[in-house]
Amino acid sequence: MKKRTEIADFAYASELGGIELLNAQYQKQNFSRHSHEGYTIGVIESGAQQFYRTGGNHIAPQHSIILVNADEVHNGCSATESGWAYQAMYPTPHVFEAISEELGTARGAPYFPDAVVYDPYLANLLRAMFTTLGESDNRLVRESLIYSSLIKLVVRHSKSIDKGLPLSRANVSLGLVKQFLDEHPDSDVSLRELSGLAGVSACHLLRAFQKQFGLPPHKYQIQARLRMAKRLLRQGRNQLDVALTCGFHDQSHFHRHFKRMMGVTPGHYAKAVASNNVQVIC
């Protein structure tokens, strides 16, 4: 029997400040627990995907829509022996904030409570948007379909979160650690140094940080380094330079973590953002 080829067609649309797009067919791809700066909005075209989100495991069958909020820890793998295929986009919170403000429905970016929704109308609208972004260079049509899809998504499946409550002292301390890792992802910092920043013991920080943000500090640092790496790749920096600048041991170490988070290699990502469309044969 012929071995199935895994294909990931990654693209970078320039609309609305830049939106990452992925059209993929996977069988053995196993995404590690990670998070994105943007939301994940995906339509399952065939097969089924299994993934973790919001403290639980979910199954997304054919024609369903996957919703993962920005900075929300998740993973992903096939729920069937034959794998799964899907199309996804990763709009930033700033895009949704602007839409929510214009709609007058909420303050700030929306929250999607359900990890999987079945909405045939919206799924077809998203498919039309993906097709247009892949085939048309008409800016008016492209932007109109993006806005239409995201507005429908917000109206039909989101809710707002009340951010008016004051943060506890413990959350503020954990936030300082997260901020440090976000702003200095390449730093060779120790757990003891981070616990000193938070004003708690190293053991307490390890447990509390994972409970609050879904990942222990060392794994969150890898996410921060990968986000920094994506920014540098978009600037045209070479892979080895990016790997070392972001604090990875070597290019192989960087390649492995990037592939497990993005589903494509750093080289393929760099080509995609340079040309705005590239097909990847994994």
Side-chain angles (χ1 to χ4, degrees), residues 9-13 15 21 23 87 126-143 145-146 275-278:
D9 184 3
F10 184 89
Y12 189 80
E15 284 78 10
L21 305 164
N23 185 357
Q87 298 187 77
L126 288 169
R127 288 189 180 102
M129 179 203 66
F130 288 130
T131 298
T132 299
L133 292 177
E135 298 178 354
S136 174
D137 59 1
N138 185 308
R139 293 185 297 170
L140 180 58
V141 174
R142 290 166 63 95
E143 290 186 0
L145 277 173
I146 293 173
S275 65
N276 280 355
N277 195 4
V278 61

Side-chain angles (χ1 to χ4, degrees), residues 137-156:
D137 59 1
N138 185 308
R139 293 185 297 170
L140 180 58
V141 174
R142 290 166 63 95
E143 290 186 0
S144 296
L145 277 173
I146 293 173
Y147 270 114
S148 297
S149 300
L150 296 184
I151 287 172
K152 290 293 185 183
L153 181 63
V154 169
V155 170
R156 296 162 78 100

Side-chain angles (χ1 to χ4, degrees), residues 147-208:
Y147 270 114
S148 297
S149 300
L150 296 184
I151 287 172
K152 290 293 185 183
L153 181 63
V154 169
V155 170
R156 296 162 78 100
H157 297 291
S158 76
K159 72 175 185 179
S160 60
I161 299 178
D162 185 3
K163 297 183 179 180
L165 297 176
L167 294 174
S168 67
R169 181 177 299 178
N171 284 341
V172 170
S173 297
L174 293 175
L176 289 175
V177 174
K178 179 178 180 295
Q179 181 180 355
F180 178 87
L181 293 174
D182 285 333
E183 294 179 354
H184 308 282
D186 56 329
S187 175
D188 183 21
V189 65
S190 70
L191 180 63
R192 189 169 298 278
E193 289 170 334
L194 290 178
S195 65
L197 178 63
V200 298
S201 70
C203 185
H204 177 81
L205 175 63
L206 195 61
R207 297 197 311 270

Side-chain angles (χ1 to χ4, degrees), residues 44-60:
I44 302 295
E45 301 294 4
S46 65
Q49 181 182 1
Q50 175 179 313
F51 66 103
Y52 167 91
R53 195 212 98 165
T54 320
N57 293 311
H58 309 274
I59 300 290

Side-chain angles (χ1 to χ4, degrees), residues 110-127:
Y111 176 78
F112 297 103
D114 298 317
V116 180
V117 299
Y118 185 74
D119 185 334
Y121 169 78
L122 181 59
N124 286 332
L125 186 60
L126 288 169
R127 288 189 180 102

Side-chain angles (χ1 to χ4, degrees), residues 26-69:
Y26 293 126
Q27 185 176 25
K28 296 183 178 181
Q29 172 69 22
N30 191 351
F31 290 94
S32 61
R33 287 198 180 187
H34 64 280
S35 62
H36 297 284
E37 293 172 288
Y39 291 76
T40 300
I41 302 165
V43 179
I44 302 295
E45 301 294 4
S46 65
Q49 181 182 1
Q50 175 179 313
F51 66 103
Y52 167 91
R53 195 212 98 165
T54 320
N57 293 311
H58 309 274
I59 300 290
Q62 185 178 23
H63 304 313
S64 64
I65 300 172
I66 290 175
L67 299 173
V68 180
N69 298 290

